[in-house]
Amino acid sequence: MMMIIYVTELRALELQTGYYSLRQIKAATHNFDPANKIGEGGFGPVYKGVLSDGSEIAVKQLSSKSKQGNREFVTEIGMISALQHPNLVKLYGCCIEGKELLLVYEYLENNSLARALFGKENQRLNLDWATRQRICIQVARGLAYLHEESRLKIVHRDIKATNVLLDKELNAKISDFGLAKLDEEENTHISTRIAGTIGYMAPEYAMRGYLTDKADVYSFGIVALEIVSGKSNTNYRPKEEFVYLLDWAYVLQEQENLLELVDPGLGSNYSKKEAMRMLDIALLCTNPSPTLRPAMSAVVSMLEGKIPIQKQVVKRGAMDADMRFRAFELLSQDSQTLTSIASADSQRPTGTSTDGPWVDSSV
């Protein structure tokens, strides 16, 4: 009886959401066979499935600890499914049965950007410069849509290379964009729960819980840096005194030697002009002051060369570095404030989000 009500509600609201029965999902995933598990994130595990018609899906099994009732869950899912953009992972539908809350998404063949760039040696993909540049622009477009064009105006809160998925043609799609909305406690820029990943979180959000779309801009800057360098911001330490790749980038910027960051695997097969543009934009996006970071629509225009790169207003000094290190320290000491942290294979505190082989707090 309860299920009939929810299906009826979905139809009545004319939402672009499909409904799947638990029997269908179990058949598709072989009863959630561990062999089909393709990721583990802050919101729950992700399984690959194959429906009876042969189409492949990704199923996220949401934690039963969700604070939302099923009715609110259905309404939110319906709204999120209406957000259609080529650079967002498509939500096919959901399943609500007993204690199970399941989301069904499109399956993307080439896994995550993190795996492609700095996964295990047998998992990495040979991404040429043109592909990297296209991926960077596509991620920026997806974020610009969420921030400025969609009905819901979503702040993602956990933008990172693991939450950028790649399809068969290596087009980038942002995952987990709706779960930030589902997990939202109140409609405000102040968040009482810090949800993000160490190394990608904007300092003002990590330290004070101050959340605006500019926190996503900061995280995008980190991802852009990783795309150019082929290195993980949190796992790569060129010298012992640098905690993050970002800090090394600041030093190279001061030395006017930013191109040293370009992935050596590219050899000379890249455009120095385009690489400098991406690196300059990456550092502009990670400005310590959120108000001085550009909007994502401006980032897209700058990446495409349609407008000049905004001049950096603030020079980063020791105080800025101290702010970042202090944020890292606070998060490391108080893991109770975390709802999502860095990858399991790095030496960071344990929280509710780990970088699985395909997806983190994403699908």
Side-chain angles (χ1 to χ4, degrees):
M1 186 69 172
M2 179 177 68
M3 298 316 303
I4 294 174
I5 291 174
Y6 291 134
V7 175
T8 303
E9 284 181 350
L10 286 170
R11 289 173 180 161
L13 291 171
E14 296 183 352
L15 302 173
Q16 301 175 40
T17 311
Y19 180 77
Y20 297 82
S21 70
L22 185 57
R23 178 178 292 181
Q24 280 179 292
I25 300 299
K26 284 186 173 182
T29 61
H30 293 166
N31 198 23
F32 303 104
D33 187 336
N36 288 324
K37 188 174 178 179
I38 52 179
E40 178 76 42
F43 292 94
V46 184
Y47 297 86
K48 180 182 178 181
V50 181
L51 295 174
S52 56
D53 64 1
S55 56
E56 295 178 319
I57 56 172
V59 179
K60 175 171 280 295
Q61 193 173 34
L62 294 188
S63 168
S64 59
K65 296 176 182 178
S66 173
K67 297 177 183 177
Q68 289 188 305
N70 289 355
R71 189 179 302 272
E72 290 81 4
F73 175 81
V74 168
T75 303
E76 292 284 15
I77 287 298
M79 288 193 295
I80 291 163
S81 69
L83 300 181
Q84 303 291 327
H85 189 276
N87 300 122
L88 299 180
V89 174
K90 184 176 176 56
L91 174 65
Y92 288 154
C94 64
C95 170
I96 310 170
E97 208 161 313
K99 293 183 178 180
E100 291 284 3
L101 296 178
L102 304 166
L103 299 180
V104 180
Y105 292 86
E106 65 176 315
Y107 174 74
L108 298 181
E109 296 83 353
N110 274 307
N111 218 288
S112 72
L113 176 61
R115 177 166 156 168
L117 286 174
F118 34 78
K120 294 177 181 178
E121 195 168 341
N122 64 338
Q123 297 174 333
R124 294 177 200 166
L125 300 178
N126 185 20
L127 303 180
D128 61 23
W129 176 253
T131 301
R132 294 183 195 220
Q133 187 179 40
R134 186 182 74 244
I135 287 171
C136 193
I137 292 173
Q138 289 173 338
V139 175
R141 286 175 181 164
L143 277 175
Y145 173 79
L146 289 177
H147 291 178
E148 304 169 47
E149 302 164 28
S150 73
R151 289 188 303 167
L152 297 183
K153 302 295 182 290
I154 289 174
V155 178
H156 188 288
R157 292 195 294 181
D158 203 14
I159 290 295
K160 54 185 171 181
T162 319
N163 281 344
V164 174
L165 306 184
L166 303 175
D167 69 11
K168 190 182 298 183
E169 285 76 37
L170 296 176
N171 291 304
K173 300 194 179 193
I174 297 171
S175 62
D176 233 13
F177 61 91
L179 293 184
K181 176 68 177 174
L182 286 176
D183 196 48
E184 200 172 62
E185 290 190 349
E186 53 186 22
N187 234 344
T188 174
H189 63 278
I190 299 296
S191 174
T192 56
R193 296 170 65 239
I194 306 299
T197 299
I198 293 174
Y200 293 87
M201 295 174 70
E204 76 279 358
Y205 182 41
M207 294 180 70
R208 302 192 298 272
Y210 183 84
L211 177 67
T212 69
D213 56 1
K214 294 302 180 70
D216 281 352
V217 176
Y218 180 95
S219 301
F220 169 81
I222 300 295
V223 172
L225 195 61
E226 293 179 327
I227 290 173
V228 176
S229 68
K231 306 275 194 310
S232 166
N233 183 49
T234 52
N235 291 344
Y236 174 69
R237 296 186 71 177
K239 295 183 180 180
E240 200 59 36
E241 62 266 32
F242 298 105
V243 174
Y244 296 144
L245 173 67
L246 176 61
D247 296 295
W248 178 232
Y250 293 152
V251 171
L252 293 178
Q253 184 184 44
E254 290 297 320
Q255 296 174 351
E256 298 184 352
N257 195 23
L258 262 181
L259 287 179
E260 190 177 314
L261 286 170
V262 176
D263 191 341
L266 289 168
S268 59
N269 299 319
Y270 71 95
S271 163
K272 290 184 178 180
K273 180 180 178 182
E274 291 171 355
M276 276 302 299
R277 178 191 296 149
M278 281 179 62
L279 289 167
D280 284 339
I281 292 170
L283 294 181
L284 178 65
C285 288
T286 57
N287 194 303
S289 171
T291 58
L292 296 178
R293 295 172 205 150
M296 285 309 304
S297 56
V299 170
V300 172
S301 295
M302 286 187 280
L303 284 169
E304 293 176 338
K306 293 179 179 177
I307 62 173
I309 299 172
Q310 296 173 16
K311 187 176 180 181
Q312 300 228 21
V313 180
V314 175
K315 280 282 185 182
R316 297 174 182 82
M319 187 176 294
D320 303 320
D322 183 66
M323 184 180 182
R324 290 192 305 279
F325 296 146
R326 179 61 179 151
F328 179 85
E329 186 180 291
L330 285 171
L331 288 168
S332 299
Q333 290 174 353
D334 187 12
S335 61
Q336 295 303 310
T337 65
L338 296 175
T339 61
S340 173
I341 65 157
S343 61
D345 59 353
S346 64
Q347 297 180 12
R348 291 184 289 275
T350 302
T352 60
S353 177
T354 56
D355 282 344
W358 183 66
V359 63
D360 190 322
S361 52
S362 58
V363 288

